[in-house]
Amino acid sequence: MSIKIRLYVEHPLGQGQSVPLGRDQAHYLFGVMRQKVGAELALFNGVDGEWRARVDQAGKRGGALTCVEQIRPLQMPPDLWLLFAPIKKARTDFIVEKAAEMGAARILPVQTEYTNSERIRQDRLQAHAVEAAEQCGGTYVPEVCDLQRLDRLLADWPQDRQLVFCDEAEVGAGKALSEAARDKGEKWAILIGPEGGFSNTERKRLHALPFAHVISLGPRILRADTAAVAALTIWQQHLGDW
């Protein structure tokens, strides 16, 4: 019997392990998906891989599952961070979802000089990352960090992590990633700017950083959400696990 439901849980998984369900997960499984005692589904927690589990208790306000066998071991994504300036709500949600689907290990919303949004709902964006992992078959859920200022993040940047700076000012003229990324190690990050672009001060600072690689995403200026997907695709093709 094929398993159609995948559920992320914040609980240890192992042979015979009992996994309690809270109200929201119970409502989803038993109210929305109409699962009964004895039904099977897949569980993952970002640590212990993916497990086939059986419903042992089903109620409106809770329930319990039991792990039966491991289906897949934990599959870690590449050591890639995505930095992006938040934009309109739905498009920010889109960026987080696609980053989780495409193998980002960590997602960092950043505030630049021209960022339109001064705050985010970190818990809501983390929930979107969880949903994306459930849907795409991933066994790892990337952390979505709270909003932080780009200048402060760069001031404390780990020197062994390379940064791909997608500069809209380089449209049609910048280096390709394949040219910029030769023999630079396995730790990387991608930076996508806001709808208003980077300020001159930010651009000068980024160009001067020894670990930053300025690239072009082609002959056209892309929207921020499109640019994030394009940059992740290029990176995965050249340096990732595709």
Side-chain angles (χ1 to χ4, degrees):
M1 180 177 64
S2 62
I3 298 176
K4 296 182 179 181
I5 300 175
R6 301 182 76 245
L7 192 65
Y8 173 82
V9 295
E10 295 181 351
H11 196 279
L13 302 176
Q15 187 70 42
Q17 176 72 53
S18 178
V19 180
L21 296 175
R23 181 190 295 266
D24 290 344
Q25 290 179 323
H27 171 71
Y28 169 72
L29 283 180
F30 312 132
V32 178
M33 302 304 294
R34 305 295 183 183
Q35 300 299 293
K36 308 292 185 182
V37 170
E40 292 190 343
L41 63 150
L43 299 180
F44 68 103
N45 61 2
V47 177
D48 299 315
E50 184 172 351
W51 287 76
R52 180 168 63 89
R54 181 184 63 247
V55 177
D56 285 342
Q57 299 176 28
K60 293 181 179 180
R61 300 183 178 181
L65 312 173
T66 298
C67 293
V68 177
E69 65 176 347
Q70 189 181 59
I71 302 172
R72 287 190 296 158
L74 176 66
Q75 296 176 320
M76 292 295 292
D79 194 350
L80 174 65
W81 298 356
L82 175 67
L83 285 62
F84 75 98
I87 46 180
K88 295 177 182 178
K89 180 180 176 182
R91 290 167 62 192
T92 292
D93 295 347
F94 175 88
I95 290 174
V96 170
E97 291 168 0
K98 298 314 167 190
E101 290 179 24
M102 298 181 71
R106 196 177 187 204
I107 302 170
L108 299 91
V110 295
Q111 186 171 10
T112 68
E113 291 188 31
Y114 297 154
T115 299
N116 292 330
S117 301
E118 296 183 355
R119 63 183 63 184
I120 62 168
R121 279 283 306 279
Q122 185 272 338
D123 58 339
R124 185 176 60 82
L125 293 179
Q126 187 67 65
H128 280 296
V130 168
E131 292 172 3
E134 289 175 339
Q135 293 294 321
C136 76
T139 57
Y140 175 86
V141 178
E143 175 191 10
V144 181
C145 300
D146 208 350
L147 184 67
Q148 52 193 310
R149 283 176 46 176
L150 177 61
D151 56 350
R152 294 177 180 174
L153 183 62
L154 293 176
D156 195 34
W157 191 260
Q159 296 300 304
D160 62 342
R161 184 173 297 276
Q162 305 298 308
L163 177 65
V164 177
F165 167 37
C166 302
D167 187 356
E168 73 278 3
E170 298 291 322
V171 166
K175 290 182 179 180
L177 180 59
S178 58
E179 180 183 354
R182 295 171 184 167
D183 303 322
K184 297 295 184 180
E186 297 181 354
K187 296 181 179 182
W188 285 83
I190 293 171
L191 172 60
I192 302 295
E195 291 176 312
F198 294 97
S199 70
N200 289 333
T201 300
E202 290 169 335
R203 183 172 287 108
K204 288 178 182 178
R205 182 178 185 185
L206 286 161
H207 276 260
L209 294 174
F211 51 78
H213 306 271
V214 182
I215 71 164
S216 167
L217 293 177
R220 290 167 291 279
I221 295 177
L222 305 179
R223 293 195 336 177
D225 47 347
T226 307
V229 173
L232 287 165
T233 301
I234 293 169
W235 190 93
Q236 284 282 27
Q237 287 180 329
H238 290 286
L239 297 171
D241 58 359
W242 286 11

